[in-house]
Amino acid sequence: MPVTPVEAGPDDAAAVVALWQAAGLTRPWNDPDADFARALAAADSAVLVLRDGAALIGSVLVGYDGHRGWVYYLAVAPDRRRHGLGRTLMLAAEAWLRARGCPKIQLMVRTGNADALAFYDRLGLAPQDVVTLGRFLDPEPA
């Protein structure tokens, strides 16, 4: 059983995006291939992956904006869930952020995703007293 996440490389793109899709994390208005490429291209972000042999079974995108750390696309292969792999990935994301002096971690979960909210609650993350605002920059998705 894999226990140590490692940083993904460019050759992992297709497998990571396929995992994100299998986990139901992608949306039509976000380009997961571009998200993966941007994460690898920036010095302040990474995609951490878990492998079982050649199979990619988990991933998390982590980034540090200089004020707080962010976690995106935490995914575990559907047939590998409930074995602590999500927790392993979150601990690796936290360690990655701590190594960069990050004081706080945040993430966004869609309000209807009760399973994810329960998972993060078990890890000690709590709702914050904030409202997330946003808008698309050019070009806006169709």
Side-chain angles (χ1 to χ4, degrees):
M1 177 66 67
V3 293
T4 306
V6 297
E7 288 197 27
D11 292 342
D12 294 312
V16 169
V17 169
L19 175 64
W20 293 348
Q21 290 168 334
L25 299 179
T26 59
R27 294 295 182 265
W29 53 86
N30 292 332
D31 180 348
D33 293 294
D35 289 345
F36 180 89
R38 279 191 296 268
L40 265 59
D44 56 0
S45 61
V47 177
L48 307 177
V49 296
L50 279 174
R51 291 187 176 87
D52 185 3
L56 189 130
I57 60 170
S59 74
V60 62
L61 191 157
V62 60
Y64 181 40
D65 66 15
H67 182 66
R68 61 180 54 93
W70 287 90
V71 170
Y72 303 93
Y73 288 115
L74 176 71
V76 173
D79 63 338
R80 303 299 293 265
R81 293 181 181 162
R82 307 263 185 238
H83 296 286
L85 301 177
R87 177 181 296 272
T88 296
L89 287 162
M90 278 301 292
L91 290 173
E94 290 176 10
W96 189 94
L97 291 164
R98 279 191 186 98
R100 286 151 183 82
C102 180
K104 182 179 182 181
I105 189 170
Q106 291 197 183
L107 54 93
M108 294 180 276
V109 177
R110 289 178 187 86
T111 54
N113 193 340
D115 288 342
L117 291 168
F119 168 75
Y120 290 117
D121 180 65
R122 287 190 301 274
L123 296 181
L125 284 90
Q128 304 289 292
D129 190 20
V130 297
V131 174
T132 301
L133 305 173
R135 99 174 139 199
F136 289 99
L137 301 175
D138 292 333
E140 274 196 44

